[in-house]
Structures are given as structure tokens and as C-alpha cells.
Amino acid sequence: MRKSLERFVAAIFLLAYFQVASLAAEISVKDLPELAKAFIASSYPNTEVVWAKEEPGWFFSDYSVKIADSTLICFDSAGNCKSLENAKSGIVLNVLPLPLKEAVETRFIGVKVRRVEFLPSGDFIADFLDGRKFRFNTDGGCVDYTRK
């Protein structure tokens, strides 16, 4: 009987979690955190925002923004950029942090970056359109490499 009750309670928590996770709602760009708005304005100054969504979590909301060149930008609740992705044409290098931009320009000439994830440690994970995946430290040094 106790095991059944534990399973029931776990099922209720899982159901509640998935209900909260599925509540992503389209919002206006003006409803984004200030840091997110500043990042979009400085990194993509003349690019139209196609949509912005708020994805509520248990305690904080995350945000996703799609811009006209098909780049998807994800922000945390404070507006810090968590990731950038453009599987069609690659990410514009000028929006990357300088150490990562320089590493890509000097070591991966002509290769486009598909996705960049910004880690809490300050490191970056960069996926390239050719299938390679690298982890870079805050100075742009390569820490890890995988090939898909």
C-alpha cells in the first residue's frame, strides 16, 4: 500500500512538472529581461525578431527568441545568453565572445558554427556544421573534442 502511495505522489509531481514545462507562451520582445533585449539589440541590430517565448519553470522562467536569419537564442531568467543556434547558415561570428570568435577565425577557417552553448563555468561548447564539436575555455583554448 505504501509503495502505491509513493508511486501516486511521484506521478502527481511528474504531471505537475510537465504541465509547467508545457506552458511556454509567446511574448513580446519588450517583455524579455533587460539583458536579453540589450544582447539582441547589440548583436543583431538590424534583424527582425520572428517570435519570443517565455518558458516557465518551477522557480524561474527561461526565454527563447527566433530572429529572421533563423538563429534561435536561449536566455536564462536574468537575460544571460545560454545558447545560440543556426543550423541553416551558421551563427554570425561577431556575436560570439572574443576568445571564441578568434579561435574559430584562426583555427577553423571557413567552417561555420551551428550551435554555441555558454556553460556556467565560462567555457563554451561549439558545434560546427561539419559535425565536429569542441569545448573551449574562457581564453579560447580547446579543452575537448568530439566528432559526430
Side-chain angles (χ1 to χ4, degrees):
M1 178 72 172
R2 181 174 177 187
K3 204 145 193 85
S4 296
L5 182 60
E6 288 174 355
R7 287 182 183 156
F8 177 74
V9 170
I12 294 296
F13 278 112
L14 280 174
L15 182 61
Y17 171 77
F18 287 113
Q19 286 298 323
V20 168
S22 67
L23 293 176
E26 205 159 315
I27 60 171
S28 170
V29 174
K30 68 180 181 179
D31 296 328
L32 291 169
E34 291 302 318
L35 281 175
K37 290 189 280 190
F39 179 86
I40 294 167
S42 65
S43 301
Y44 298 95
N46 298 317
T47 306
E48 175 191 356
V49 172
V50 176
W51 53 256
K53 291 183 182 178
E54 180 179 9
E55 300 162 3
W58 281 101
F59 301 106
F60 302 104
S61 293
D62 284 344
Y63 300 89
S64 299
V65 175
K66 181 107 175 209
I67 58 174
D69 74 350
S70 297
T71 299
L72 177 65
I73 311 167
C74 296
F75 299 98
D76 65 15
S77 60
N80 298 304
C81 184
K82 291 172 34 176
S83 65
L84 297 159
E85 183 170 358
N86 187 325
K88 288 185 178 182
S89 58
I91 296 168
V92 177
L93 295 183
N94 290 336
V95 304
L96 300 178
L98 190 59
L100 181 57
K101 178 182 182 265
E102 289 175 348
V104 171
E105 287 178 333
T106 58
R107 294 184 232 158
F108 306 99
I109 298 167
V111 180
K112 303 237 183 211
V113 179
R114 181 184 72 80
R115 183 174 198 279
V116 174
E117 181 180 352
F118 302 95
L119 303 177
S121 65
D123 289 359
F124 318 101
I125 295 178
D127 294 355
F128 292 86
L129 286 174
D130 67 2
R132 293 181 290 174
K133 183 176 186 176
F134 292 88
R135 181 174 179 155
F136 297 93
N137 63 22
T138 55
D139 298 325
C142 185
V143 178
D144 194 16
Y145 163 78
T146 56
R147 181 144 184 116
K148 292 181 182 177

